[in-house]
Amino acid sequence: MDPTLYNAAVEGNISGGDFSLAEYLKRDKENPYQVTPTGNTILHVAAHYGHYHFVAEVLKISPALLCHRNKKNETALHVAANEGHIKVVHSLHSMDEHYKETLMRMTDENGETALHNHQDEARLLAKEYPEFEFPSNKAQETPLYLAAESGLHEALIEILDSCK
């Protein structure tokens, strides 16, 4: 990945000086698809650092990045959920329904959806997708089981109240 692009994602820099994220991404249609050695796009990097405004800007230009996976099979939603960045999760969920449905079904290398991860994200996703049947991961653990095992009372209640 180009160092300028990587640093912009790490810092959450949309514009400044002679840099404009929109212009940079539109300059070459391959720019948004550059990856780090671990397969992370700028969307993954920005999600990792919690830069929800940067995430929203990238998605306006390249919405297909939402479903791009890194070498661990993680989407930016997995990364944001793992890091506990609820604002990024909200930004990622402000997308078109077509992408949301696809994104919710995507699993990482452990067979986990984004709902398997963090309490706040689990509550949000359970509320937004009550009809979705969240599968178990490779260890045969469902999000409901993980919430109970971890003592995540609020997430457990939300899952039980919201999901069928």
Side-chain angles (χ1 to χ4, degrees):
M1 178 180 292
D2 180 288
T4 301
L5 196 54
Y6 179 80
N7 289 333
V10 168
E11 297 166 5
N13 180 21
I14 293 172
S15 65
D18 61 350
F19 178 79
S20 166
L21 178 64
E23 287 177 20
Y24 193 90
L25 294 178
K26 291 176 182 177
R27 190 177 327 154
D28 179 349
K29 70 179 189 176
E30 295 302 316
N31 276 346
Y33 298 94
Q34 293 181 33
V35 295
T36 66
T38 57
N40 289 328
T41 65
I42 55 171
L43 198 59
H44 288 89
V45 174
H48 176 78
Y49 288 100
H51 299 305
Y52 63 93
H53 60 286
F54 189 96
V55 166
E57 189 67 25
V58 169
L59 290 175
K60 285 181 198 172
I61 301 163
S62 300
L65 278 181
L66 191 61
C67 296
H68 192 288
R69 297 175 192 237
N70 64 16
K71 289 186 177 178
K72 292 181 178 179
N73 251 4
E74 298 168 321
T75 64
L77 181 60
H78 284 99
V79 172
N82 284 334
E83 296 297 323
H85 296 305
I86 192 72
K87 287 184 178 181
V88 174
V89 171
H90 280 286
S91 288
L92 294 168
H93 277 279
S94 66
M95 288 303 298
D96 178 274
E97 285 300 316
H98 165 74
Y99 289 108
K100 280 185 188 181
E101 182 67 25
T102 302
L103 189 62
M104 290 310 303
R105 295 186 185 285
M106 296 178 88
T107 58
D108 64 12
E109 67 184 1
N110 297 317
E112 296 181 349
T113 65
L115 186 58
H116 283 87
N117 296 301
H118 190 270
Q119 178 172 335
D120 291 333
E121 286 75 12
R123 290 172 51 213
L124 169 73
L125 297 172
K127 188 179 288 185
E128 281 196 37
Y129 300 95
E131 301 289 329
F132 185 72
E133 294 181 22
F134 292 95
S136 58
N137 60 19
K138 288 184 179 177
Q140 300 305 310
E141 301 162 326
T142 63
L144 178 66
Y145 173 82
L146 290 172
E149 180 184 52
S150 301
L152 302 175
H153 187 261
E154 291 178 33
L156 184 62
I157 298 296
E158 192 66 51
I159 292 169
L160 288 170
D161 286 346
S162 299
C163 295
K164 296 184 179 201

